[in-house]
Amino acid sequence: MKSWKEQLKDVKRALRETDLQGEIRDEKPAKVDFEPPKSWLTDDRSISKRDGESKGNSRPAAIPSTVAERQTGVHHRVAPTVRNPVQQPATPSAVSSSSDKPSAPSNRATTPPVFRPRIDGGHALVMPEWSEAGRSLQHPDHQGGRAAPMVVRIGVDFGTAFTKVAIRAGVDLVPVDWFAVTGDESPTGRYVMPGFVVRAPDGEYCWRRLAESNVRGNLKLSVIEMAGSDECPAATLAYLALVIRYARAFLYRHPEAGRKLVARSLRWELNVGCPTEPHEKPEVVRLFGRIARTAWRLAAGGSLRETDIAAAWVADEAAIGLETEPGVVPEFVAQIAGYLGSPQVTGGLHALIDVGAATLDVATFNVVLGNDLDSSPRIPIFFSAVRPFGTYYLYQNRHDKLDLDHVWDDAAPVEPADDFAKRHGKRRSEVDAVDLEFVNRVESCITGVIDGTRTNARGDPQSSAWREGLPIFITGGGSGCEVYRRAIEAVQIDLKRRLDASSRFRFVELDPLGAKFPQFGTDIGGRLSVAIGLTQDAESIARVVPHRDIEPISRTAKERVDHSEIYGDR
């Protein structure tokens, strides 16, 4: 007979599996707020000379007076960061354990924590003058006339906190460097663009510092929430128009790829990433496509005033210069696009853990390979969970529990516990104890998705991966952080113990930049993996099968044929 402890464990496990009898979907994403970095708030800091700019082109220094909590409303707040502000939403460390694991849909309302990305490269945001060349769909030195066509595909990883962009022009892959806008020269920071745009008093949206201007954030989650309405997401459209305009200009200036464009007639394509869960909603996909299409038109235009943006949104005309409609691709599919087209790809059950700045995304899915070379793989999604356990919340947990001021840079890699302890004058054991709480929450989230797939009929309980090793991808800007690695290892150890197996996870290494960019390293490659995957043809990456369309998998035993029926006497 089992002991009472073992019986209690069985009851808890049964309750957890019961919670997984529906789709793992119902928790709201974290809200996004923004407190501008000090360099945006001081009027005595000169804007340094950027790549390709002269000192005479510097913008007048001024103070943004307010910060928008949503792009349709202004959230008034004193600019400097305040420790433990009143009515501060609960951080992940204060969330009950029941919210850590995926759950069935319910009507229970949850209050998502506020996500305030922290960046400060020591400079104000400015749009370099040379970016004006990005209004054109051809290289500035293009001679016209008959020229050989070249397909140029832009991949936009439109993130909650940061946007990353890569461009594939013929055989050249070009990661877009944002130093000229942000002034961030760090190895990782220069390849991410903060998700904010400034609205000037006259209604013009821009990247520069102006008096009485508003910094608008929450550009991604707000549009997902408005899916199904016809409201114009003006700030989001302006931001993406600036992103596209700058990216095209950056390509024209690229020392290697740029010179090849002069004698070619450019044929443009645009792919935008979309979170996995919202991508299963047709209205969200349609909205993202319309936003991408409108932003593309605005990027080629002149003014980005609110009235002009609203007019373009209402007109909803076809995007000029695009060979096809913008592709809206699930972010996790873009992340593994290189794997799906490589010789190492295998069919069957897989898992992906994406560690972002705001969220931890976990998903399990099948890879169903095509029967011929011309057919793309199908990706049925089993279970997924999105939780506010990104690197921002890891830092927030450390600073709150260790009574430290909220000062860090979300664009930089997370400091290892030892370095963090030394820099803040703390003992390593103190940091480890704080991190352990966070590790347990990350572990619980991952375990919930894995167990749902292993035990639920709408997962894949009979997959050979449970015996031979589950292929798993670890991606995102925080994928190299030791805290998340500890959580993943804890999940694997627990799974081995419960299944009495020798191998549980088979880690699949992704190298999106390949050998062409050895100077970038794995941190930058991890951050750019979605954008790089989006530079591939959207139609050939994979076809996603939503969770709602998946029927329970049944594997019937093969009927045994009697030997005499085949070899018997005639």
Side-chain angles (χ1 to χ4, degrees):
M1 182 176 176
K2 293 184 177 180
S3 67
W4 69 269
K5 288 185 177 180
E6 291 174 327
Q7 294 180 54
L8 180 59
K9 288 182 179 179
D10 289 342
V11 171
K12 288 182 177 180
R13 188 176 301 117
L15 289 173
R16 180 168 59 199
E17 292 167 0
T18 301
D19 284 342
L20 285 161
Q21 294 302 312
E23 293 183 83
I24 304 174
R25 293 290 185 264
D26 191 47
E27 192 160 301
K28 294 181 179 180
K31 291 182 179 179
V32 178
D33 198 0
F34 175 55
E35 296 179 12
K38 293 179 180 178
S39 57
W40 295 23
L41 299 175
T42 56
D43 56 5
D44 58 351
R45 185 192 299 271
S46 62
I47 300 174
S48 68
K49 184 177 179 181
R50 306 279 175 85
D51 181 28
E53 287 190 83
S54 63
K55 292 181 180 179
N57 292 333
S58 60
R59 310 293 186 189
I63 303 175
S65 58
T66 57
V67 177
E69 185 175 25
R70 291 177 55 88
Q71 57 189 57
T72 56
V74 178
H75 175 63
H76 298 279
R77 178 192 300 272
V78 178
T81 302
V82 181
R83 285 276 295 140
N84 299 325
V86 178
Q87 295 182 343
Q88 174 78 9
T91 63
S93 60
V95 179
S96 65
S97 60
S98 62
S99 68
D100 294 345
K101 66 179 189 302
S103 59
S106 70
N107 295 323
R108 176 177 54 87
T110 58
T111 302
V114 174
F115 170 52
R116 297 185 178 91
R118 297 175 183 277
I119 56 166
D120 193 355
H123 307 273
L125 240 59
V126 296
M127 191 69 159
E129 288 191 359
W130 52 259
S131 65
E132 291 298 303
R135 298 179 190 271
S136 173
L137 298 177
Q138 301 296 328
H139 192 282
D141 296 331
H142 181 64
Q143 301 301 317
R146 300 190 61 169
M150 174 186 285
V151 174
V152 181
R153 192 175 296 116
I154 299 179
V156 179
D157 177 12
F158 179 30
T160 306
F162 303 101
T163 291
K164 286 79 67 179
V165 177
I167 305 174
R168 194 175 297 274
V171 297
D172 292 309
L173 177 63
V174 179
V176 174
D177 184 328
W178 299 95
F179 164 71
V181 177
T182 65
D184 191 338
E185 293 183 281
S186 66
T188 54
R190 67 188 307 148
Y191 291 101
V192 298
M193 177 62 208
F196 312 112
V197 67
V198 175
R199 184 187 182 279
D202 63 355
E204 172 114 16
Y205 287 89
C206 54
W207 283 333
R208 64 179 181 268
R209 191 163 51 177
L210 294 171
E212 300 179 4
S213 61
N214 296 331
V215 179
R216 298 296 177 93
N218 193 19
L219 302 178
K220 180 179 180 179
L221 297 182
S222 62
V223 299
I224 294 176
E225 292 172 359
M226 63 169 277
S229 75
D230 201 40
E231 180 184 353
C232 175
T236 300
L237 290 168
Y239 173 78
L240 289 176
L242 291 170
V243 165
I244 292 169
R245 184 182 297 173
Y246 176 88
R248 287 197 299 233
F250 181 83
L251 175 67
Y252 297 153
R253 289 169 56 89
H254 193 271
E256 296 179 8
R259 59 184 174 81
K260 301 177 184 179
L261 309 179
V262 176
R264 307 297 291 271
S265 176
L266 306 185
R267 302 288 186 264
W268 294 92
E269 295 181 11
L270 175 66
N271 290 331
V272 179
C274 179
T276 304
E277 175 193 344
H279 188 273
E280 297 194 3
K281 302 174 182 177
E283 63 273 20
V284 173
V285 175
R286 287 194 296 269
L287 177 63
F288 268 59
R290 183 180 178 184
I291 288 173
R293 184 169 60 246
T294 307
W296 181 269
R297 287 181 59 84
L298 290 168
S303 167
L304 286 178
R305 284 187 173 84
E306 206 158 52
T307 53
D308 298 322
I309 295 171
W313 180 253
V314 172
D316 190 21
E317 298 174 356
I320 299 174
L322 282 180
E323 292 296 291
T324 183
E325 281 291 299
V328 180
V329 181
E331 291 166 350
F332 91 92
V333 173
Q335 282 175 318
I336 64 172
Y339 168 78
L340 294 175
S342 71
Q344 71 176 132
V345 65
T346 59
L349 181 63
H350 292 67
L352 181 139
I353 300 172
D354 180 36
V355 185
T359 60
L360 172 76
D361 296 32
V362 185
T364 53
F365 54 93
N366 236 345
V367 174
V368 182
L369 301 176
N371 295 325
D372 55 73
L373 296 177
D374 294 330
S375 59
S376 58
R378 288 189 304 115
I379 308 292
I381 302 171
F382 290 131
F383 291 101
S384 66
V386 180
R387 297 291 181 268
F389 298 152
T391 56
Y392 166 88
Y393 292 110
L394 168 59
Y395 263 134
Q396 186 184 66
N397 189 61
R398 284 178 173 180
H399 285 249
D400 283 347
K401 296 297 178 64
L402 296 173
D403 196 26
L404 300 171
D405 290 336
H406 284 197
V407 179
W408 66 82
D409 185 359
D410 281 309
V414 177
E415 278 186 303
D418 193 48
D419 294 346
F420 184 89
K422 290 178 181 178
R423 191 162 69 86
H424 291 283
K426 301 293 182 180
R427 294 190 301 273
R428 169 65 187 266
S429 58
E430 292 179 284
V431 180
D432 284 340
V434 169
D435 283 350
L436 181 59
E437 300 174 17
F438 197 84
V439 166
N440 290 339
R441 298 191 176 279
V442 172
E443 178 188 352
S444 178
C445 175
I446 299 171
T447 297
V449 174
I450 297 296
D451 277 0
T453 309
R454 185 179 62 83
T455 62
N456 195 284
R458 292 176 69 86
D460 197 355
Q462 303 302 318
S463 172
S464 61
W466 303 119
R467 301 183 304 274
E468 300 169 2
L470 174 64
I472 186 168
F473 303 89
I474 314 297
T475 65
S479 59
C481 174
E482 62 180 4
V483 173
Y484 297 93
R485 292 285 177 171
R486 283 167 55 192
I488 294 167
E489 179 62 22
V491 174
Q492 181 172 217
I493 292 173
D494 182 61
L495 206 55
K496 286 181 180 179
R497 178 186 59 79
R498 288 191 283 140
L499 297 184
D500 192 25
S502 59
S503 175
R504 289 279 52 87
F505 290 165
R506 180 163 57 85
F507 295 98
V508 182
E509 296 295 332
L510 294 175
D511 186 15
L513 291 169
K516 293 182 179 180
F517 303 93
Q519 72 275 22
F520 284 153
T522 55
D523 283 340
I524 299 176
R527 287 173 180 255
L528 291 172
S529 60
V530 173
I532 293 171
L534 290 169
T535 64
Q536 297 194 30
D537 182 5
E539 295 297 325
S540 63
I541 297 177
R543 184 172 68 85
V544 174
V545 181
H547 179 84
R548 64 177 180 271
D549 295 339
I550 297 176
E551 295 296 331
I553 295 177
S554 59
R555 289 181 170 84
T556 57
K558 292 183 179 180
E559 184 179 354
R560 185 173 181 178
V561 180
D562 190 275
H563 187 274
S564 62
E565 292 182 8
I566 302 177
Y567 301 104
D569 295 333
R570 292 177 181 263

